[in-house]
């Protein structure tokens, strides 16, 4: 397993719409393992393939306290939403940036596992927020799209400044 490079905002590749996964092979399982390792090392609770410059409909998530409840969602789609929750969201592509975002408090997701087997899962709380956030990534949408243009502009400037300091 290896840690993958995470793309940082405002990298335009974060806006790429992911394509469905059609081949469930060893390469996909390696990607899943690498994404989990990357997510845990970051540390984060979710990671979409788009964030590591792989434009396939794949996300991993683990909202458990002990980081021992990994979920893999391939070709995920939300089929039901219920309730509303406002959560202070962060993102591995926006280190150190947090903003309040309103999302559904509970969602039902249809997806496939690492072997291509379909499943349906109802999630709530932090995991529901995470799944919605990561599916947005697969659709080329970012959590800052839910906030004002003024705040988004400030975040863009801050991220560009951080990247210049690292370079």
């Amino acid at each position: 397993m290896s840690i993958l490079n995470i793309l940082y905002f405002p990298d335009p590749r974060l806006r790429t719409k992911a394509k469905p996964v059609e081949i469930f092979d060893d390469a996909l399982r390696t990607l899943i393992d690498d994404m989990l390792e990357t997510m845990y090392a970051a540390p984060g609770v979710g990671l979409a393939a788009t964030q590591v410059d792989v434009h396939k409909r794949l996300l991993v998530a683990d909202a458990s306290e002990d980081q021992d409840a990994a979920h893999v969602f391939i070709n995920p789609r939300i089929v039901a939403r219920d309730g509303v929750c406002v959560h202070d969201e962060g993102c591995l592509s926006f280190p150190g940036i947090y903003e309040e975002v309103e999302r559904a408090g509970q969602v039902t997701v249809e997806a496939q596992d690492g072997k291509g087997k379909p499943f349906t899962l109802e999630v709530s709380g932090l995991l529901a927020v995470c799944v919605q956030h990561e599916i947005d990534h697969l659709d080329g949408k970012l959590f800052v799209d839910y906030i004002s243009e003024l705040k988004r502009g400030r975040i863009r400037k801050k991220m560009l400044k951080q990247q210049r300091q690292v370079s």
Side-chain angles (χ1 to χ4, degrees):
M1 292 195 306
S2 60
I3 294 178
L4 306 170
N5 289 324
I6 296 172
L7 300 177
Y8 296 112
F9 181 79
D11 191 310
R13 293 173 290 180
L14 289 168
R15 297 290 186 178
T16 304
K17 189 167 178 157
K19 293 183 176 11
V21 172
E22 296 174 353
I23 299 171
F24 294 80
D25 59 5
D26 289 341
L28 180 66
R29 284 183 278 289
T30 298
L31 175 61
I32 291 167
D33 290 343
D34 290 348
M35 285 178 60
L36 285 165
E37 184 173 357
T38 302
M39 177 188 73
Y40 288 131
V45 296
L47 184 66
T50 301
Q51 291 177 273
V52 293
D53 202 21
V54 176
H55 304 288
K56 296 180 179 180
R57 295 195 66 79
L58 160 65
L59 70 89
V60 295
D62 186 345
S64 67
E65 285 286 320
D66 297 327
Q67 295 187 322
D68 61 356
H71 294 275
V72 175
F73 298 89
I74 299 173
N75 300 323
R77 61 187 198 93
I78 296 172
V79 295
R81 299 172 192 268
D82 191 37
V84 174
C85 86
V86 176
H87 195 273
D88 204 26
E89 284 188 35
C91 179
L92 296 178
S93 293
F94 294 77
I97 306 290
Y98 296 89
E99 289 291 335
E100 284 190 348
V101 176
E102 183 178 295
R103 297 197 185 263
Q106 182 174 327
V107 295
T108 303
V109 184
E110 289 181 351
Q112 293 168 278
D113 66 14
K115 295 180 180 175
K117 181 180 175 194
F119 68 91
T120 302
L121 186 65
E122 191 173 285
V123 295
S124 59
L126 180 57
L127 186 56
V129 169
C130 180
V131 166
Q132 291 169 85
H133 177 111
E134 302 308 335
I135 289 175
D136 276 353
H137 272 297
L138 300 178
D139 294 332
K141 189 169 184 175
L142 305 172
F143 85 109
V144 294
D145 295 342
Y146 292 94
I147 62 176
S148 72
E149 183 61 41
L150 179 64
K151 284 184 179 180
R152 197 167 34 252
R154 287 183 186 149
I155 290 170
R156 178 184 299 275
K157 287 179 185 173
K158 185 175 183 177
M159 293 296 299
L160 288 170
K161 183 178 179 182
Q162 284 178 5
Q163 289 171 18
R164 281 193 302 271
Q165 290 172 345
V166 170
S167 299

